Amino acid sequence: MHEYFVTQQLVKIAEDELKGVSFKRVTEVKVVVGELSGIIDESLKFYFDILTKGTILEGAQLKIIPKKALLYCQKCSEYFERTKDFTCPKCLSLGKLTEHGKEFYIESIEVDD
């Protein structure tokens, strides 16, 4: 259910960014969503379609760009993608979570002039 409130803010931010910009319609909103952000893609798309009705974003496609989580190995000083566990593929030490994969932001808004 928190996707409703997150999407509400997403729509508000996009609308604020478009104030004073001349365009015919918004065609696409690209959003980066990290796998550790807790955001469910399908719910985000569902609420986006509902919350954009009657706004300048109505009819725009929501494109979600997924970001994988990266872990950091203190032993190797390497970043790596998590596979089935937190084990570093290089030295087999346990990696630590980083901020990579927690992203959630608007990457771009495309419009028709």
Side-chain angles (χ1 to χ4, degrees):
M1 181 69 175
H2 79 282
E3 280 85 358
Y4 177 84
F5 300 105
V6 169
T7 310
Q8 209 172 29
Q9 289 304 306
L10 176 95
V11 170
K12 183 184 180 329
I13 291 167
E15 287 178 319
D16 288 347
E17 284 297 314
L18 293 167
K19 283 183 181 168
V21 177
S22 177
F23 60 91
K24 289 181 184 172
R25 68 182 191 96
V26 179
T27 57
E28 183 178 77
V29 178
K30 288 183 185 174
V31 179
V32 174
V33 179
E35 73 173 314
L36 300 176
S37 68
I39 305 294
I40 299 170
D41 295 358
E42 294 80 22
S43 295
L44 192 65
K45 287 180 180 181
F46 174 77
Y47 288 124
F48 184 82
D49 289 342
I50 291 171
L51 292 169
T52 56
K53 285 193 187 336
T55 73
I56 59 174
L57 298 169
E58 185 171 4
Q61 293 296 310
L62 180 66
K63 181 173 182 183
I64 297 174
I65 301 165
K67 284 284 187 177
K68 291 291 242 176
L70 288 181
L71 294 111
Y72 180 73
C73 178
Q74 290 179 316
K75 189 172 182 181
C76 298
S77 299
E78 297 281 332
Y79 287 93
F80 61 94
E81 285 185 7
R82 181 180 64 156
T83 52
K84 61 182 176 187
D85 58 22
F86 286 59
T87 305
C88 173
K90 193 172 185 181
C91 73
L92 304 178
S93 295
L94 285 180
K96 294 189 175 215
L97 288 174
T98 66
E99 293 301 306
H100 300 278
K102 297 179 182 177
E103 301 89 347
F104 180 67
Y105 60 89
I106 297 173
E107 182 176 87
S108 64
I109 301 170
E110 294 183 20
V111 298
D112 274 344
D113 296 336

